[in-house]
Amino acid sequence: AQAKRLEPDRPQKRLAVRPSLMGMAMSCGQFLWCGDTKKDPASLGFDDHAVHVSRDDDVSIKGVSLDFVTPIGEQSGTIEGWNDPERDPAAEERTQRLKTFEKRAMSNFSLGSGTASSRAASNTSNLGASGSAESGKASAAAAGAKGSRWSSLFDMGTINSESQHPSLADDERMITFEPASMYSSCEPSAINARNSGHPNRVRTTKFTPITWLPKSLANQFLRVANMYFLIIAVLVLFPWSPKNWKSKVFPFVAVLIWTALKDLFEDTRRRRDDAAENSQRCIRLKRSHNSSEEALEEVSWADILCGDVVFIPEDRAFPADLLLAHPAGDGEAFISTVMLDGETSLKNRQAPSICQVVSRKCARDDGDEWQAAQSMLGSAGQMLPPERLQRQLLRFTSNLRQPGVELKFPMPTAVLSDVRGYLQPRGNKEEALICPYNEDNFLPRGCVLRNTPWVLGIVVYVGSDTKTRLNASTSKMKFSNMQVNLNNCVRGLLAVLLSLCLYATIVAVVAEGGFAADSDELMPDARNPLVRFFMFCITFYHVVPLSLYVMYEMIKLLLAFQVNTDSQMYDPVRECKAQARTAEIIEEMGQVDFLFSDKTGTLTANEMVFARCHCGGQDLGEFRPGADGSAGAGLAETRRILLAGKDAEGSFEPLLNIATCLAVCHSVQVATKDGQPFFSGMSPDEVALVQAAHEMGVTFESRVRKKAGQTSELILKGPGSIERKFTVLHELAFTSDRKRMSVIVRHRNTIWCITKGADSVMETLLKEPLSDVCNNDLTTFSKQGLRTLVVGMRCVNPQEFEMWDAEYTTARNIIDESKDERMGEVAARIEHSLKFVGITAVDDKLQEGVPETIELLKSAGIRLWVLTGDKTETAVDIAKSCRLFTDATTMAYATSAGDAQAAEAKLLEAHALLTSKKDTGLVLDGQTLLHALASEECRKLIYDLGVVARSCICARLSPMQKLELVKLVRQQSKRSITMAVGDGANDVPMIQGAHIGVAIRGKEGTQAVQASDIAISYFRFLVPLLLCHGRRAYRRIALFLCYYLYKNIALLMSDVVWMHQDKFRARIAFPEYLSIGLNVIYVTWHLLFVIGFDRDLPDSVACRRPELYHVGPQRALFNARVFTKWMLLAALHGSVAWLIPFFMIGTYEYDSSQPGPFWECSTVVFTSVIFIVNLKLVLVSQNPLSFWITWLPTIGTLLAYLICLGLLSYTPLGKSVQPSMYQVPGEVLQSSKACLAFVITVCGALVIDLSEKISVYMMCPSKLQLAQRETWR
């Protein structure tokens, strides 16, 4: 018999009538014309057609479901009894639904205009795939070649390219799979040509063998000091230089080479790590396949190209960024992204709809073999899968390539969620259909496949373009304020040097023949004033220590090592200690003024326990277990009511509703351990709520994702033995902006929207406002420090859902930057008019030691700000429980401001209240800050309040508001040091924005740790971190900077005194090969021991004496007064060291080539300076009597000096390089005047220092000295 089939007509962009043979070309889901065959169906508007259906459970087209029951007739696949009301009472209703379906589907396709509606974009499944394999094969066999290809592509659920073509960047990329070919091309071709044809090869090294030395030197000369030493090294090459070029060039070159070798060593380790990663093996489908060979080949990661199809077995990492083509098993893949974003929970991924269709075609064509391949794995020790599996993989890729496919995607970005692009069958652009893909179809490099036998993936981004590599760069470099001070000191010393040289040059020229030497006594070149100026620069060049920056970095590394090895901060649970991820800001931990802390997971343990619940107009009571482990009264009563069933009192239905909502509205995964369900998820709150539903009697048992779409099916068991199924149609995720989560589910043909969120948001979404009883319970729960959520639900009209579903799916398919914003807008359109279900309250217990820690930090002079997203009442209660606020605290509130004027008024009122009070606290909220942060006057007020108030709690804040508060303090006070402490990804902006970012290793992944400067396991570890390591680091670095510059100024002053005695001839005062050791040997290496290990108090005492920390925020140990004092002492010591020996020995005869009295006196002076500066370090150390820490390194460095002095004076090498020093030490030791001058000089220089130290200790001791007295008593 003849019939007419309705098929898409490509040229006319409409449904055309095609002749067909009845019974041979009929397949499930096709449109058939069943009217008068002599009439043109188009003229009738398609009002009269029917749909031929076959036996099946579900047929979908373009996102609209057509549900029907199995036919009643005896023969399967017939329509006998379909419309017989007597045999099928629901037939009339079903017939009406079919007609509605037809009209809706036809209007969706907009055949007259040739464009697909937004609802057409929502489908992700193939019509024919829902039917049996037999009907699918019949459909494929009966259709013509062109029509079949077009229809099959049309059934993929793609979008017509004319109606919605993706907006990609101008420099987009494309992978093309040619029909009937194993070869794929990539455009631009330069992508696969990078790295000599190895674009996926990772290179994290900074240098190549050729660029190592030039780049390292270029980086070193970015420092002002190195440029200064370079200029000196050039000047000493001239013949008029007062110093030998070898004594200046060689040490400078040695420092440069040392730093370059250090860079090379670090780069070698990176090169080794790169080689290990690039040499990992993976499986790739061969690009040119011979049927007699295997379809797969094993290659290294470095050999992967863009456009390759790779096979990844379970528990293997992805070698590049992949588009998931096919997951084995249940149609979805699970991946672990812990190394990328730190999240420990598994993420599920699906193939794009066009690939799902190919998978279903493989299942229809070779069902048994294909099905068996889904769980097939290779044998142990082999990477290549079995031959049977290889054949199925080849079949899949052949089917994917058969029509020819183009995969287009934009330039890579570092944002993990920014994944967009589309697949498009090749052909006439008017006919071409596109299938967008997003993050749900994406497999990032380095992530690991879990709980999935294997996957096939298409390589889209390789090498440096992958998300892993784009996110591997470190955050913006942080520089400590002491580093800034050091740079300023160096600039100041250079300015002093230039001024001194200019002064000497002017005097030498102006006072020539009088106070200055006559020009006839100088070499000809030295008579030029400019040359004379450069000669003085060379003479005084050691004013800036050559090894300054090297030693500065080394002592910081030592301090960081001490943090990493401190047993006080050992975590036995994770078996790790604190980790100083950068040593650059180590001393700033001793100067913290403001500490910004997250609450959840930072102050609290992030171990959520369901505590209370409001439902049915009442507080159900306590859900937490009692001291004996028994169930709380509220939980026991809830169980009893739910088990009693509908015959119980009227609270059954409300309790069942809230238990069901908690068991359905979540993204938790469930597994079975020891016969009990085990729930896991990214949010501990969600896990606690699902666990609470389970304890009530409603258990979330499983989540099964349907193969033919984006939906999943939840199985709930309980109360009792009742089992219920919920189909999750959409999950609207929680975000910090939305502050709520929703799921759209279907249960027994009814669609429900279930929402849970913060009460501040949910109040506007409820159909009716919360009752007074609800508000009272909310306030009560909040005052108990519990985290509250409001739960609501509503029944959604099918027509409303269809329209919303089309909009949401269209928004989800957007592939530009507006996607998230658009999805949020559409999601909000269905979250309204909710029926109130109940209120949940979860207890997040404080970590051990938090109250004591906060009390100590406040006593240390640190201002604490706790930033949280909780309600104000909850935040204040937590602040009181952790002793941020006490009963004696004067509290000021600046909350709920409606505009900028109101915010300013509340801030002024709070400032007036807190001024002149001692123990003060401030309460702010996000709404007030929203208006206040936009006003410069309010920003200054907030900072002033932060200074006046010793502690502050900020509620209802978003992550960006946390960052804005940190920035506010940094902008208002350049001097204040800020520290931010957090544990989650939402704390990353705050951690990176503060001077010091501290991460708490928690349960919200490792993103905070990766962004931090220091990682610890518990909040209480801040006490040893700040009061021990931070305080000592500031003291040690301050002492190092002052002392390291002091010793050079002391030597410089001897040069200055000699310059005046020598009448400005610019001659050197000390043997140059002796003086170059000052900054390399004599007064350098022992600093690492004396300063690095000098401990003023035991850790146990330091942790109990927070007042000792005050010197840091007050900058008491390094400021203009302290630095000036050190420089004046240096001038005094240097002058005394020169004048006393020369006054006692009394000789000025100068001969640079022969030993003589001058060099004997010079040696006495230089030795005096070495002993003075070393003994000065002993005096200022915290343990001056300690042999191992103080005296042993000091004696060692003095012995090293004497050895160098002997080598320079009594060896042939010493005689050749420094002839003026030959046997001079022996002459000095034989001279009683010289020995006496040495003793008097050292004692006379240090007597002032020793007297000052004893006087201060006895008459006005510092807090530290008082603590030392008590400890050592």
Side-chain angles (χ1 to χ4, degrees):
Q2 293 288 329
K4 291 191 177 181
R5 183 174 70 249
L6 301 181
E7 285 187 347
D9 185 8
R10 290 171 290 178
Q12 300 300 323
K13 301 180 183 142
R14 51 170 290 176
L15 286 182
V17 181
R18 308 287 190 195
S20 180
L21 294 176
M22 185 76 75
M24 292 182 64
M26 302 297 106
S27 61
C28 178
Q30 278 192 333
F31 285 99
L32 298 181
W33 173 251
C34 298
D36 187 349
T37 57
K38 296 181 179 180
K39 296 182 178 179
D40 182 7
S43 66
L44 303 177
F46 299 102
D47 289 332
D48 257 337
H49 34 274
V51 176
H52 177 80
V53 291
S54 179
R55 181 170 185 168
D56 200 355
D57 297 323
D58 180 55
V59 176
S60 302
I61 181 169
K62 298 304 171 191
V64 182
S65 292
L66 169 63
D67 301 320
F68 50 90
V69 299
T70 302
I72 305 300
E74 298 296 331
Q75 298 179 3
S76 174
T78 69
I79 59 171
E80 182 180 356
W82 182 261
N83 290 320
D84 187 350
E86 295 182 1
R87 301 185 66 176
D88 186 359
E92 184 175 351
E93 176 186 353
R94 219 170 17 249
T95 301
Q96 186 61 38
R97 288 178 60 196
L98 292 178
K99 290 184 178 180
T100 304
F101 165 80
E102 299 168 51
K103 294 179 180 179
R104 187 167 63 246
M106 301 305 293
S107 64
N108 286 349
F109 298 149
S110 303
L111 300 173
S113 62
T115 60
S117 71
S118 60
R119 279 193 293 270
S122 66
N123 183 42
T124 55
S125 62
N126 184 357
L127 257 175
S130 297
S132 62
E134 290 78 2
S135 62
K137 291 179 180 179
S139 174
K146 273 191 172 182
S148 173
R149 175 182 169 189
W150 202 96
S151 299
S152 63
L153 292 177
F154 190 77
D155 287 340
M156 289 175 184
T158 52
I159 308 170
N160 188 283
S161 59
E162 289 188 358
S163 63
Q164 186 180 350
H165 198 283
S167 175
L168 291 178
D170 294 335
D171 50 352
E172 68 180 5
R173 300 177 177 182
M174 181 173 67
I175 297 172
T176 303
F177 293 96
E178 300 292 343
S181 170
M182 295 299 295
Y183 179 77
S184 61
S185 61
C186 176
E187 297 179 14
S189 58
I191 295 176
N192 282 337
R194 290 183 304 189
N195 293 336
S196 302
H198 296 85
N200 199 44
R201 186 171 61 200
V202 169
R203 179 177 174 269
T204 61
T205 56
K206 295 181 179 179
F207 316 113
T208 66
I210 297 177
T211 63
W212 158 59
L213 197 56
K215 280 190 174 181
S216 178
L217 293 176
N219 291 334
Q220 293 184 61
F221 285 121
L222 292 177
R223 286 178 169 173
V224 176
N226 284 338
M227 286 300 300
Y228 163 71
F229 292 125
L230 176 63
I231 294 173
I232 296 297
V234 172
L235 292 177
V236 296
L237 297 176
F238 289 93
W240 42 258
S241 171
K243 293 186 178 182
N244 190 297
W245 67 271
K246 299 176 184 178
S247 65
K248 302 298 168 286
V249 173
F250 286 160
F252 179 51
V253 171
V255 170
L256 295 179
I257 293 178
W258 167 266
T259 306
L261 290 175
K262 177 181 71 73
D263 293 340
L264 179 62
F265 174 73
E266 294 175 349
D267 217 44
T268 301
R269 291 191 301 176
R270 285 189 287 265
R271 184 172 288 105
R272 184 173 60 247
D273 295 339
D274 291 346
E277 181 170 357
N278 292 327
S279 61
Q280 293 187 72
R281 311 296 288 177
C282 64
I283 303 299
R284 175 177 69 183
L285 270 71
K286 290 185 178 180
R287 285 182 158 247
S288 57
H289 178 63
N290 187 324
S291 59
S292 63
E293 300 176 354
E294 291 181 324
L296 308 180
E297 62 179 344
E298 181 180 347
V299 297
S300 65
W301 281 22
D303 295 328
I304 293 296
L305 302 177
C306 183
D308 280 347
V309 179
V310 294
F311 170 85
I312 308 295
E314 186 175 6
D315 296 329
R316 293 275 184 171
F318 306 120
D321 283 355
L322 311 178
L323 176 66
L324 178 58
H326 175 75
D330 297 328
E332 62 180 350
F334 292 92
I335 64 173
S336 170
T337 61
V338 65
M339 62 79 59
L340 183 61
D341 59 13
E343 301 292 350
T344 55
S345 60
L346 300 182
K347 314 293 191 306
N348 64 305
R349 295 290 186 263
Q350 296 180 352
S353 56
I354 193 171
C355 296
Q356 293 181 27
V357 171
V358 175
S359 300
R360 289 194 290 271
K361 185 178 187 302
C362 293
R364 290 196 304 269
D365 294 344
D366 200 358
D368 294 339
E369 285 288 327
W370 177 257
Q371 203 61 36
Q374 301 309 297
S375 57
M376 195 176 296
L377 291 175
S379 59
Q382 282 188 329
M383 289 194 67
L384 287 174
E387 185 178 349
R388 291 174 59 194
L389 178 54
Q390 293 193 42
R391 287 199 301 268
Q392 296 305 319
L393 299 179
L394 185 59
R395 180 186 298 275
F396 176 87
T397 53
S398 298
N399 288 336
L400 179 64
R401 300 169 189 265
Q402 184 177 4
V405 176
E406 292 178 353
L407 194 161
K408 295 188 178 181
F409 47 98
M411 294 291 289
T413 63
V415 181
L416 300 181
S417 59
D418 185 10
V419 179
R420 47 197 173 94
Y422 65 91
L423 292 94
Q424 180 178 28
R426 301 189 71 189
N428 190 312
K429 293 301 179 183
E430 292 185 352
E431 307 167 8
L433 307 167
I434 63 174
C435 172
Y437 68 82
N438 54 34
E439 185 184 8
D440 294 335
N441 318 119
F442 192 68
L443 308 175
R445 176 187 175 121
C447 297
V448 181
L449 182 67
R450 303 291 190 193
N451 299 346
T452 309
W454 52 267
V455 297
L456 277 180
I458 303 172
V459 178
V460 287
Y461 295 118
V462 290
S464 58
D465 291 343
T466 58
K467 297 289 184 184
T468 304
R469 299 310 313 156
L470 291 173
N471 284 277
S473 59
T474 56
S475 58
K476 184 180 179 181
M477 180 66 71
K478 295 182 179 180
F479 294 97
S480 69
N481 64 332
M482 298 296 279
Q483 172 79 61
V484 175
N485 291 335
L486 172 60
N487 293 336
N488 291 335
C489 289
V490 170
R491 294 188 184 95
L493 290 176
L494 291 177
V496 170
L497 171 66
L498 294 177
S499 301
L500 180 61
C501 295
L502 185 62
Y503 155 76
T505 303
I506 293 174
V507 172
V509 173
V510 174
E512 182 181 350
F515 190 64
D518 191 83
S519 59
D520 296 336
E521 302 177 20
L522 305 175
M523 65 177 65
D525 291 335
R527 298 169 187 171
N528 186 321
L530 183 60
V531 171
R532 184 79 66 90
F533 174 81
F534 288 143
M535 291 175 65
F536 282 117
C537 288
I538 295 173
T539 302
F540 302 140
Y541 93 101
H542 52 264
V543 66
V544 178
L546 182 63
S547 57
L548 174 62
Y549 286 101
V550 174
M551 294 303 300
Y552 181 68
E553 292 175 355
M554 292 187 67
I555 197 166
K556 282 196 173 187
L557 289 174
L558 176 60
L559 297 178
F561 173 77
Q562 294 175 356
V563 171
N564 296 341
T565 56
D566 188 357
S567 59
Q568 292 183 98
M569 295 182 282
Y570 177 72
D571 177 13
V573 177
R574 299 177 181 86
E575 297 183 349
C576 61
K577 298 180 181 179
Q579 180 187 12
R581 293 169 53 83
T582 175
E584 181 59 39
I585 46 81
I586 197 77
E587 74 278 8
E588 287 194 336
M589 293 192 306
Q591 309 168 65
V592 176
D593 296 282
F594 288 83
L595 191 151
F596 298 89
S597 174
D598 179 42
K599 182 185 78 67
T600 304
T602 303
L603 300 181
T604 62
N606 212 5
E607 296 176 357
M608 309 298 181
V609 179
F610 194 86
R612 305 295 284 258
C613 181
H614 173 100
C615 183
Q618 61 178 337
D619 178 4
L620 300 180
E622 186 62 60
F623 275 67
R624 288 169 288 193
D628 57 354
S630 60
L635 176 59
E637 180 64 13
T638 302
R639 283 180 185 168
R640 185 191 67 79
I641 295 174
L642 290 179
L643 287 174
K646 294 186 177 180
D647 295 334
E649 49 268 38
S651 57
F652 171 81
E653 185 175 348
L655 288 177
L656 180 62
N657 283 343
I658 193 167
T660 302
C661 288
L662 297 182
V664 172
C665 184
H666 59 80
S667 59
V668 171
Q669 300 292 331
V670 62
T672 302
K673 291 188 177 181
D674 300 327
Q676 294 294 322
F678 175 77
F679 307 109
S680 61
M682 290 181 287
S683 169
D685 299 69
E686 281 198 328
V687 174
L689 296 178
V690 176
Q691 181 68 35
H694 165 67
E695 294 174 354
M696 292 180 191
V698 179
T699 302
F700 163 50
E701 284 212 326
S702 66
R703 182 192 300 269
V704 179
R705 188 168 294 277
K706 293 188 175 181
K707 296 181 181 180
Q710 303 288 338
T711 62
S712 61
E713 193 173 75
L714 301 185
I715 307 298
L716 269 56
K717 187 174 182 180
S721 59
I722 300 174
E723 185 174 284
R724 291 175 290 166
K725 296 182 180 180
F726 291 81
T727 302
V728 180
L729 305 175
H730 290 284
E731 181 181 305
L732 312 181
F734 175 92
T735 66
S736 57
D737 295 327
R738 283 168 39 81
K739 296 184 180 179
R740 63 186 181 274
M741 176 201 179
S742 298
V743 292
I744 314 300
V745 299
R746 179 188 290 119
H747 177 59
R748 294 180 181 177
N749 296 326
T750 303
I751 300 175
W752 297 90
C753 173
I754 304 174
T755 305
K756 63 182 181 187
D759 59 281
S760 60
V761 174
M762 293 294 291
E763 284 179 341
T764 62
L765 305 181
L766 295 176
K767 190 174 183 179
E768 299 177 355
L770 293 175
S771 64
D772 293 339
V773 176
C774 292
N775 283 317
N776 290 337
D777 283 347
L778 263 174
T779 303
T780 301
F781 295 158
S782 298
K783 288 183 177 180
Q784 294 175 6
L786 304 179
R787 297 163 58 90
T788 58
L789 289 176
V790 174
V791 183
M793 59 184 287
R794 77 179 181 96
C795 179
V796 181
N797 183 279
Q799 285 75 25
E800 178 191 357
F801 172 74
E802 290 169 8
M803 295 177 64
W804 176 88
D805 178 59
E807 289 186 76
Y808 187 75
T809 306
T810 302
R812 189 172 56 191
N813 287 335
I814 292 175
I815 52 180
D816 58 26
E817 290 78 3
S818 64
K819 175 181 177 178
D820 292 339
E821 180 182 358
R822 179 60 179 160
M823 287 180 65
E825 292 175 357
V826 177
R829 295 179 186 173
I830 202 169
E831 298 167 326
H832 64 84
S833 305
L834 300 174
K835 175 186 175 183
F836 173 74
V837 176
I839 300 171
T840 64
V842 175
D843 183 13
D844 189 6
K845 297 181 180 179
L846 288 176
Q847 292 182 20
E848 178 185 350
V850 166
E852 296 80 5
T853 299
I854 288 181
E855 201 168 37
L856 285 170
L857 295 180
K858 289 175 64 179
S859 300
I862 300 174
R863 297 172 175 85
L864 269 77
W865 288 44
V866 175
L867 315 179
T868 177
D870 290 339
K871 288 186 61 175
T872 302
E873 295 83 358
T874 304
V876 171
D877 186 79
I878 290 290
K880 291 180 178 179
S881 63
C882 67
R883 301 183 194 171
L884 188 69
F885 298 153
T886 65
D887 295 336
T889 301
T890 302
M891 296 175 56
Y893 287 78
T895 58
S896 304
D899 52 37
Q901 290 76 15
E904 184 175 5
K906 289 178 179 289
L907 292 173
L908 287 171
E909 182 181 347
H911 192 276
L913 177 64
L914 299 182
T915 303
S916 73
K917 300 290 194 310
K918 289 185 177 180
D919 187 3
T920 55
L922 176 65
V923 181
L924 299 171
D925 67 354
Q927 183 177 350
T928 302
L929 288 174
L930 180 66
H931 302 295
L933 291 175
S935 168
E936 192 59 39
E937 292 78 8
C938 290
R939 291 174 70 90
K940 189 175 186 309
L941 266 175
I942 292 173
Y943 174 76
D944 292 340
L945 277 169
V947 174
V948 172
R950 301 302 306 169
S951 53
C952 176
I953 188 82
C954 301
R956 297 298 195 195
L957 293 188
S958 67
M960 295 313 297
Q961 284 180 316
K962 295 180 181 180
L963 174 61
E964 285 299 321
L965 282 175
V966 175
K967 287 183 175 179
L968 182 148
V969 172
R970 296 192 64 169
Q971 291 169 358
Q972 295 295 323
S973 174
K974 303 297 183 183
R975 187 172 180 270
S976 297
I977 300 298
T978 59
M979 172 182 280
V981 187
D983 72 313
N986 61 328
D987 301 318
V988 169
M990 174 179 70
I991 288 173
Q992 292 181 331
H995 290 91
I996 312 164
V998 178
I1000 305 292
R1001 300 186 186 99
K1003 299 182 178 180
E1004 298 186 19
T1006 59
Q1007 283 180 285
V1009 173
Q1010 293 168 354
S1012 68
D1013 303 307
I1014 299 166
I1016 57 179
S1017 295
Y1018 303 105
F1019 187 80
R1020 65 178 183 272
F1021 287 171
L1022 285 177
V1023 172
L1025 184 68
L1026 297 181
L1027 302 190
C1028 295
H1029 294 281
R1031 182 181 61 82
R1032 289 195 194 109
Y1034 170 60
R1035 180 177 295 276
R1036 289 166 174 171
I1037 294 297
L1039 175 59
F1040 169 81
L1041 294 182
C1042 292
Y1043 177 79
Y1044 216 77
L1045 298 176
Y1046 150 84
K1047 63 182 180 62
N1048 282 65
I1049 296 298
L1051 191 65
L1052 174 68
M1053 286 308 300
S1054 297
D1055 282 308
V1056 172
V1057 175
W1058 163 244
M1059 176 187 69
H1060 287 81
Q1061 292 177 339
D1062 194 40
K1063 296 186 176 182
F1064 300 89
R1065 291 185 176 91
R1067 295 189 295 189
I1068 61 175
F1070 304 107
E1072 53 187 306
Y1073 281 98
L1074 188 64
S1075 62
I1076 62 174
L1078 177 72
N1079 295 313
V1080 180
I1081 302 174
Y1082 315 146
V1083 197
T1084 301
W1085 294 104
H1086 78 301
L1087 288 175
L1088 295 176
F1089 299 95
V1090 178
I1091 293 180
F1093 293 96
D1094 188 25
R1095 183 165 294 194
D1096 47 18
L1097 287 171
D1099 289 340
S1100 58
V1101 177
C1103 291
R1104 296 196 307 267
R1105 304 294 293 265
E1107 68 273 10
L1108 302 179
Y1109 189 84
H1110 292 171
V1111 295
Q1114 294 171 0
R1115 310 296 187 270
L1117 302 182
F1118 192 88
N1119 51 46
R1121 182 183 62 82
V1122 172
F1123 186 75
T1124 302
K1125 177 183 175 182
W1126 273 91
M1127 295 303 103
L1128 291 177
L1129 282 174
L1132 174 64
H1133 292 168
S1135 301
V1136 168
W1138 183 270
L1139 291 174
I1140 292 179
F1142 268 83
F1143 175 78
M1144 295 182 65
I1145 298 174
T1147 178
Y1148 302 106
E1149 298 178 8
Y1150 190 97
D1151 187 350
S1152 61
S1153 61
Q1154 296 293 330
F1158 175 84
W1159 296 112
E1160 295 173 11
C1161 187
S1162 174
T1163 301
V1164 172
V1165 173
F1166 191 83
T1167 305
S1168 300
V1169 171
I1170 295 299
F1171 273 76
I1172 289 171
V1173 296
N1174 275 282
L1175 293 176
K1176 172 65 176 178
L1177 181 61
V1178 173
L1179 285 177
V1180 297
S1181 68
Q1182 296 300 320
N1183 293 278
L1185 303 179
S1186 173
F1187 176 77
W1188 296 105
I1189 295 177
T1190 306
W1191 281 104
L1192 183 61
T1194 302
I1195 293 173
T1197 192
L1198 292 177
L1199 287 176
Y1201 165 70
L1202 296 177
I1203 292 173
C1204 291
L1205 184 61
L1207 293 175
L1208 197 61
S1209 304
Y1210 294 98
T1211 63
L1213 177 63
K1215 183 178 180 181
S1216 63
V1217 298
Q1218 194 74 62
S1220 60
M1221 282 295 295
Y1222 186 64
Q1223 296 183 347
V1224 165
E1227 298 295 331
V1228 171
L1229 291 176
Q1230 294 177 10
S1231 171
S1232 58
K1233 286 185 177 181
C1235 294
L1236 183 61
F1238 167 75
V1239 173
I1240 294 176
T1241 300
V1242 173
C1243 294
L1246 293 177
V1247 66
I1248 299 177
D1249 304 72
L1250 184 61
S1251 302
E1252 182 206 18
K1253 186 176 181 67
I1254 295 175
S1255 301
V1256 170
Y1257 186 79
M1258 298 300 296
M1259 302 177 62
C1260 52
S1262 64
K1263 294 178 181 179
L1264 176 61
Q1265 290 171 334
L1266 291 174
Q1268 289 173 333
R1269 284 185 189 178
E1270 296 178 8
T1271 303
W1272 297 337
R1273 182 177 301 167

